[in-house]
Amino acid sequence: MTRCFSLTAARNRCYKSSFLKAGLRSTITDLQDGTVMHCWVPKTHNDSKPNLLLIHGLGANTMWQWGDTIRKMIPFFNIFVPDLVFFGDSYTTRPERSESFQAQCVMRVMEANSVKKLSLVGLSYGGFVGYSLAAQFSEAVERVVICCAGVCMEEKDLKEGVFKVSDLEEAADILVPQTPEKLRELLGFAMFKPPPSTLVPSCLLADFIDPTLILWGEYDKIFPLELGHRLKRHLGDNAHLVVIKGTGHAFIVEKPKESYRHLKSFLVDLQPPPSTPSPIPNNENHLSSCKGEAEKITLKTA
């Protein structure tokens, strides 16, 4: 079948150019254990600026997910944008696949670049990795922003209908689409108001811790808003939950200006945003279910 013009390749070139113009350079770090990590790092490190780590989620590559954020945040930070293992140019021959392992690999890249202190923003799956990184390396992490990452999810949530999918296999089928039809389905899940499918041709689709801020789309169908409230209750008074109205999981795409405003207020102006009140849970046992090393996180007052 004849393929139409590759919008993905053209967009990749644009983002790569914008990253370079923003003062970033592409680097490869060999961790000497079978793992190789790609990361965008500052061409010149400015000691007067704090460090900001941007961790991508599933779906489009890291340039697509952070391209619009980079140009707005670069005046305030030394920015680091890694490809997680098995994304972009990062890979490993080791058997580990957990977010804990991903966090360790990212932190080793930061250490290779002489980064001793950092703040981080984790988007979706990147939020799981960022949460784990903050738990394991709390002495290095200053501020944390978790965006739509269901780190307090439980296995029974699938059975009780919290999610739109019934099991993890179905979720993986949607989150890592292999066909244009599945990518359309992902767009429908990720956005509150997805673009009409007729406007996206199949050929283009086929080509294709310290104080914590929690950002969540009001109508997130991948990680429902209840998980944001649950995470807020788990972290306590030092965490701030902000709900982006009229958006889904991809709120950073649907309302980029509002997303940036909250990021700047928290990371640059160091102002805690007004939290969205959390409803009283029916079962307080949810608070003890945030998994793994993430339970070790201790927070300071914002």
Side-chain angles (χ1 to χ4, degrees):
M1 182 181 72
T2 303
R3 296 171 70 91
C4 55
F5 169 72
S6 176
L7 176 62
T8 303
R11 192 65 172 166
N12 274 337
R13 289 192 294 270
C14 289
Y15 276 129
K16 184 176 182 179
S17 176
S18 69
F19 273 45
L20 293 171
K21 289 179 180 178
L24 301 180
R25 60 187 177 91
S26 175
T27 65
I28 294 292
T29 303
D30 188 343
L31 302 184
Q32 302 295 320
D33 63 354
T35 305
V36 172
M37 297 289 290
H38 172 263
C39 186
W40 289 93
V41 306
K43 292 178 182 176
T44 303
H45 191 277
N46 187 335
D47 292 335
S48 67
K49 291 182 181 181
N51 302 308
L52 180 63
L53 171 63
L54 301 177
I55 309 177
H56 67 81
L58 298 174
N61 66 41
T62 190
M63 292 190 297
W64 284 60
Q65 294 187 34
W66 294 119
D68 293 332
T69 304
I70 292 290
R71 59 187 177 84
K72 295 177 180 178
M73 302 300 282
I74 202 76
F76 308 106
F77 296 97
N78 296 304
I79 291 185
F80 297 83
V81 194
D83 284 330
L84 295 176
V85 177
F86 295 120
F87 293 86
D89 294 323
S90 298
Y91 63 90
T92 188
T93 58
R94 293 176 58 173
E96 291 94 333
R97 299 292 183 268
S98 68
E99 64 268 23
S100 175
F101 173 66
Q102 293 273 20
Q104 292 163 15
C105 292
V106 171
M107 193 60 197
R108 289 175 68 186
V109 173
M110 296 299 99
E111 291 168 349
N113 284 277
S114 302
V115 174
K116 294 180 172 59
K117 292 286 185 179
L118 60 90
S119 293
L120 68 85
V121 183
L123 179 62
S124 190
Y125 175 64
F128 286 85
V129 176
Y131 200 68
S132 181
L133 191 151
Q136 296 182 69
F137 307 100
S138 59
E139 71 287 348
V141 178
E142 296 176 326
R143 290 196 156 216
V144 177
V145 181
I146 303 294
C147 302
C148 291
V151 294
C152 282
M153 65 183 290
E154 301 179 58
E155 195 169 327
K156 67 178 182 178
D157 289 332
L158 291 169
K159 300 175 183 177
E160 294 178 354
V162 173
F163 299 96
K164 298 292 184 180
V165 295
S166 58
D167 55 45
L168 294 178
E169 184 175 345
E170 182 183 354
D173 197 32
I174 294 171
L175 290 173
V176 189
Q178 300 298 313
T179 66
E181 290 70 28
K182 283 297 180 182
L183 186 49
R184 279 200 184 89
E185 191 173 353
L186 174 58
L187 289 174
F189 272 99
M191 295 184 176
F192 175 52
K193 295 180 179 179
S197 60
T198 55
L199 298 182
V200 189
S202 292
C203 57
L204 295 182
L205 290 173
D207 183 50
F208 193 81
I209 265 192
D210 287 287
T212 301
L213 172 63
I214 306 167
L215 294 180
W216 222 277
E218 181 181 17
Y219 299 103
D220 193 325
K221 291 184 283 187
I222 294 178
F223 292 121
L225 179 56
E226 159 57 23
L227 294 177
H229 289 296
R230 192 183 299 177
L231 178 58
K232 166 66 177 74
R233 292 193 296 268
H234 177 74
L235 294 178
D237 293 339
N238 295 322
H240 308 274
L241 171 64
V242 173
V243 178
I244 310 296
K245 300 292 185 180
T247 66
H249 189 68
F251 66 83
I252 202 167
V253 175
E254 294 184 279
K255 290 192 176 179
K257 291 182 179 179
E258 184 174 349
S259 301
Y260 165 69
R261 187 171 72 249
H262 290 302
L263 290 176
K264 182 177 181 296
S265 175
F266 184 72
L267 294 170
V268 180
D269 303 330
L270 305 182
Q271 297 296 317
S275 286
T276 300
S278 291
I280 302 298
N282 293 325
N283 183 359
E284 287 293 342
N285 289 334
H286 282 317
L287 301 186
S288 64
S289 64
C290 290
K291 61 182 182 176
E293 295 125 351
E295 297 218 356
K296 302 173 187 174
I297 285 186
T298 57
L299 303 176
K300 301 174 185 176
T301 303

